Amino acid sequence: FLSLSLFCLLSSFVISFFFISFLFSVVFLQVTQAKENDIKSAMSSYPWHSSFFELVRFDFVLDEMLNVWLMEVNMSPNLSSAMHAENARMYEQVVYNTLALVGLARWTAGTLNSVESAEKDMLVSDQDIAAVHEECVTAECGQCANVVCSLCRQCRSDPQTDELKLAFLEHINRGNFRRVVPTPLLKRPSSVMSSSDHSLSAPNKVIAMWFRAKCLDDLAWCT
């Protein structure tokens, strides 16, 4: 849940948005490994270990040199969307996705049209479908001057945004199914553009570019 303002700050330091995210992931791994025995000990109090899960919050700060520092791990984070309205969408997504991960919640509706606005954002928000972050903050995409800019929020139409949100939900809820179109990527692409797009319709070109952009961010989106 890194903000666009933080992304712009990192860009001014010529530091990758995703490098900072990677550093956060390294800290998560180190803390989890260091506390593995404590977690096992806590689980021993429960007769059904497979039903055990815990939601914690890692609080980080960045210093003036953009070094990552872990301040604390909160074992009982306040995720009240009523108390902190400005964080409501983020909190609701954290709770919903945690419950979905452990099998206690699942969205089964086939369309977003009948879902309330707040519930839509909990399931999939504009931030979830964000792509080509570096391009979207350029002056060129401020004018929506090229085809890649069509992936940026300021250049998308509402129907295009809805299509990307549906694609996002299909991907994360696909189970054992695998994508056929757009063509799965066997490795991380060098660009969101591809010469193979010439045969696609304009809407499908946008979808294909979006999947490549997501693949550049996360290999789980490549296939």
Side-chain angles (χ1 to χ4, degrees), residues 88-103:
R89 185 190 67 197
M90 178 176 68
Y91 289 172
E92 289 168 356
Q93 284 191 322
V94 168
V95 172
Y96 173 78
N97 286 310
T98 299
L99 295 178
L101 179 65
V102 299

Side-chain angles (χ1 to χ4, degrees), residues 164-182:
L164 293 181
K165 287 183 176 181
L166 286 172
F168 178 91
L169 289 172
E170 286 180 359
H171 180 83
I172 64 173
N173 291 312
R174 64 183 182 167
N176 287 328
F177 288 99
R178 289 297 177 266
R179 186 176 81 240
V180 175
V181 179

Side-chain angles (χ1 to χ4, degrees), residues 6-23:
L6 176 56
F7 172 75
C8 293
L9 174 64
L10 296 178
S11 297
S12 69
F13 278 83
V14 198
I15 293 178
S16 169
F17 181 83
F18 302 103
F19 178 69
I20 296 295
S21 296
F22 170 74
L23 293 181

